[in-house]
Amino acid sequence: MMLILIGLMVSTAFSISTINLRSVANVQSREEAIAAANLVIERRLGADFTAAPAPLAGEPVDINNDGVSGDYLVDLATPVCVRAEQASSSLSFSVTLPSMTASSAWNTIWELQATATEPRSGASVRVVQGVRVLLDSVQKNARCPDV
């Protein structure tokens, strides 16, 4: 009887540890996918993405730096200008753009959506990030005409 009870306890402990290991692996995969999506968004923000907003499909990301690209594939939707408002003339800017006066400056809000997919399992995560971009009137009218 005691042997059966000990066997049952060992079996239960093994099952619980396996479940915990799977949970930790799922959380790690989710965090890696979020990091991959954020990396692609940050790369896009490093360039003038408002000049010609375009989607990006299947961008490979080597998240574990093992030299093998494609741990995650990231799709970036076309950046969308969701809001624009004229910048207050009483505010001072940390960046001075050529031919920009306080009366011609526009604060535009852009939304970027990235979906990172892990090819082996098919698991995916969607990340949405907003960013404010200072544009002059000509740029605002060309890049954010509907807002």
Side-chain angles (χ1 to χ4, degrees), residues 92-111:
S92 61
F93 301 110
S94 60
V95 177
T96 303
L97 300 176
S99 73
M100 184 176 291
T101 63
S103 63
S104 70
W106 285 83
N107 287 319
T108 59
I109 307 296
W110 292 78
E111 183 178 272

Side-chain angles (χ1 to χ4, degrees), residues 2-147:
M2 190 62 127
L3 188 58
I4 294 174
L5 195 56
I6 291 173
L8 183 60
M9 286 176 35
V10 168
S11 174
T12 302
F14 183 73
S15 294
I16 290 173
S17 68
T18 303
I19 290 170
N20 287 341
L21 185 61
R22 287 182 186 161
S23 296
V24 168
N26 285 342
V27 169
Q28 180 180 355
S29 294
R30 180 179 180 276
E31 293 300 319
E32 286 179 351
I34 290 171
N38 282 330
L39 180 66
V40 171
I41 288 173
E42 292 300 322
R43 285 179 188 163
R44 180 56 65 98
L45 291 177
D48 184 11
F49 70 93
T50 64
L56 183 64
E59 177 74 14
V61 175
D62 178 19
I63 201 72
N64 59 6
N65 293 322
D66 63 356
V68 179
S69 184
D71 295 331
Y72 290 88
L73 299 176
V74 180
D75 296 327
L76 186 65
T78 303
V80 177
C81 181
V82 294
R83 188 173 67 170
E85 62 182 37
Q86 196 160 13
S88 172
S89 61
S90 65
L91 297 176
S92 61
F93 301 110
S94 60
V95 177
T96 303
L97 300 176
S99 73
M100 184 176 291
T101 63
S103 63
S104 70
W106 285 83
N107 287 319
T108 59
I109 307 296
W110 292 78
E111 183 178 272
L112 291 92
Q113 292 186 27
T115 303
T117 304
E118 200 273 319
R120 291 174 299 201
S121 69
S124 67
V125 172
R126 189 174 127 227
V127 173
V128 179
Q129 185 172 337
V131 63
R132 183 179 75 168
V133 179
L134 185 64
L135 300 176
D136 64 26
S137 292
V138 173
Q139 292 170 326
K140 184 265 179 199
N141 291 335
R143 300 173 189 182
C144 293
D146 299 329
V147 288

